[in-house]
Amino acid sequence: MTYGRVMTYRRALGGLGLALMALGGVLLLGQPEPWRIALWLAGAVVLHDGLIAPLVLAVGALTAAAGLRLTGVPRAALIVAGFLTAIALPPILRPGAPANPTVLPLDYLRNWLLAMVAIALVTGAYLGARALLRRRA
């Protein structure tokens, strides 16, 4: 693929992204209380940049200091855990019971913990199986 064609695709995707952002802004301003949605989105950015990304970087630094390479499946597991945490935190941190009990009917803290345990178990099983197969080979 030539450089000119790559730049054409990049510009087209950038234009599409700008158009979708403008559409999102128009839809946001059409809401009854757009400031609440904007505040929630800003909180998501702060949560990611202030908590999740530094935690992932810290785990990466600790594993590197321990002489382990964090690539492939372990890295993917951390990314998935970070995304699930970002999605699960609003219902987990919501104070009190909702006015409508059918809005948040599940035990989100328990389900988030189960998902984290499942991610850890699947990742550990994969790494263990891979280590066994390498020993046999």
Side-chain angles (χ1 to χ4, degrees):
M1 193 177 282
T2 65
Y3 177 76
R5 183 173 282 186
V6 169
M7 289 308 295
T8 301
Y9 288 144
R10 287 182 76 181
R11 286 186 184 108
L13 286 173
L16 178 63
L18 288 173
L20 289 173
M21 285 173 50
L23 174 64
V26 168
L27 292 174
L28 176 65
L29 291 175
Q31 296 297 314
E33 295 178 345
W35 63 270
R36 293 184 72 168
I37 297 170
L39 183 64
W40 189 88
L41 290 172
V45 170
V46 169
L47 173 70
H48 176 271
D49 293 350
L51 181 67
I52 294 172
L55 282 174
V56 170
L57 289 173
V59 169
L62 288 173
T63 57
L68 302 171
R69 287 186 50 209
L70 192 61
T71 60
V73 173
R75 183 181 292 175
L78 279 176
I79 291 170
V80 169
F83 281 130
L84 283 176
T85 300
I87 291 168
L89 271 181
I92 289 173
L93 297 178
R94 181 181 172 96
N100 182 352
T102 63
V103 173
L104 296 174
L106 303 175
D107 184 356
Y108 288 93
L109 178 59
R110 185 201 64 201
N111 292 342
W112 174 77
L113 288 171
L114 289 173
M116 294 299 115
V117 168
I119 290 169
L121 289 175
V122 169
T123 303
Y126 173 82
L127 294 175
R130 187 172 71 178
L132 280 174
L133 291 174
R134 283 186 180 170
R135 277 193 197 158
R136 289 185 181 176

